[in-house]
Amino acid sequence: MNHRSPSRILIMTAVEAEQQAVLRGLGSYDGADVQLAGVGPASAAAATAAALARAGQVADGAYSLVVSAGIGGGFAEVAGMGSLVVASEIIAADLGAETPDGFAGVDKLGFGSPRIAVADKLSARWAEALRTTGLSVHYGPILTLSTVTGTVDTARSLIERYPGAGAEAMEGFGVAEAARQFGIPVLELRAISNAIGPRQRELWKIGDALQALEQACAKLPEVLLS
Ligand SMILES: O=C(O)c1cccc(C(=O)CC[C@H]2O[C@@H](n3cnc4c(=O)[nH]cnc43)[C@H](O)[C@@H]2O)c1
């Protein structure tokens, strides 16, 4: 039989390079499983739900926390490249409708909420612990989009709609929605690889972001145990 601690956590990353960075950071900590979500909210939701369902079929296998972790784009002047953003809230920023008066979120349309609350005390503690690493850390909403932002106009309208947002990525809301449906608390962390705005892939600092992701995950065990 597989004996697992009841406080086991599930960490979902989009791609293998992120998964490896998370595993390097966790080191010898054996209270976490790190699984691949794939890219985008649909793949992330399906992969997370499948992982949670599989775990629920094993005695004592259920997870007590789900974490969406990886690299992401940072909003200028809030989260620079190589910095970290810990989510205070996870927002599906493009889930809604365009109208003549601008974007209307699913909440305005009467189809539920585009926002999922995080395990706030734990996420605030993680952000606090990360500040001791010397890395710059922003605690604020993280946006989930199916399409990476590629213009100044879109970046501006996102920050107007979601003041205080620090980062965007493509999986958080999918991971969080699966966790919500299983009744499990969620966190999201993004290490910033690029500035949100006009696409300049050659300027992405993926290595720095993966290193920051590793450092952030090295702090997670002590935060979970505190
Ligand atoms: O090319 C590589 O070596 C490499 C290594 C690790 C990760 C990648 C990715 O491209 C990951 C895709 C993943 O990153 C998130 N992301 C990053 N920047 C943004 C952004 O500006 N807007 C939205 N998402 C972003 C996203 O979650 C992707 O799934 C490549």
Side-chain angles (χ1 to χ4, degrees):
M1 193 195 287
N2 187 355
H3 291 283
R4 289 158 168 247
S5 149
S7 61
R8 201 161 182 79
I9 72 168
L10 174 65
I11 303 178
M12 301 299 293
T13 70
V15 301
E16 272 180 33
E18 295 166 320
Q19 181 186 41
Q20 292 308 315
V22 171
L23 286 169
R24 281 195 302 277
L26 291 174
S28 60
Y29 179 71
D30 65 356
D33 294 324
V34 189
Q35 297 196 22
L36 290 177
V39 171
S43 176
T48 305
L52 294 175
R54 277 193 304 272
Q57 288 165 357
V58 177
D60 297 331
Y63 292 108
S64 60
L65 178 72
V66 177
V67 183
S68 174
I71 65 171
F75 285 100
E77 284 150 40
V78 178
M81 286 196 263
S83 74
L84 296 167
V85 180
V86 179
S88 60
E89 190 178 18
I90 298 169
I91 303 177
D94 56 2
L95 188 58
E98 283 189 317
T99 78
D101 300 323
F103 178 83
V106 276
D107 44 350
K108 267 202 187 148
L109 301 173
F111 300 125
S113 176
R115 296 166 184 263
I116 294 181
V118 295
D120 55 349
K121 288 197 179 103
L122 195 55
S123 58
R125 280 216 311 270
W126 197 8
E128 218 33 67
L130 291 175
R131 292 201 173 98
T132 68
T133 62
L135 289 171
S136 164
V137 181
H138 178 76
Y139 183 67
I142 296 181
L143 310 183
T144 303
L145 296 115
S146 292
T147 304
V148 174
T149 297
T151 68
V152 170
D153 282 355
T154 306
R156 230 178 250 145
S157 75
L158 286 171
I159 209 68
E160 271 170 30
R161 269 178 11 226
Y162 308 108
E168 69 166 43
M170 301 173 78
E171 294 78 32
F173 191 82
V175 171
E177 179 59 18
R180 191 188 69 76
Q181 293 199 17
F182 278 76
I184 302 172
V186 70
L187 300 179
E188 182 172 6
L189 172 114
R190 293 287 155 182
I192 304 306
S193 53
N194 58 282
I196 298 172
R199 186 170 173 78
Q200 292 175 287
R201 188 65 168 75
E202 67 285 0
L203 297 184
W204 285 32
K205 295 254 194 276
I206 290 177
D208 291 354
L210 292 174
Q211 216 172 345
L213 178 61
E214 179 180 332
Q215 279 180 267
C217 290
K219 282 277 170 196
L220 191 53
E222 77 183 49
V223 172
L224 293 171
L225 296 170
S226 65

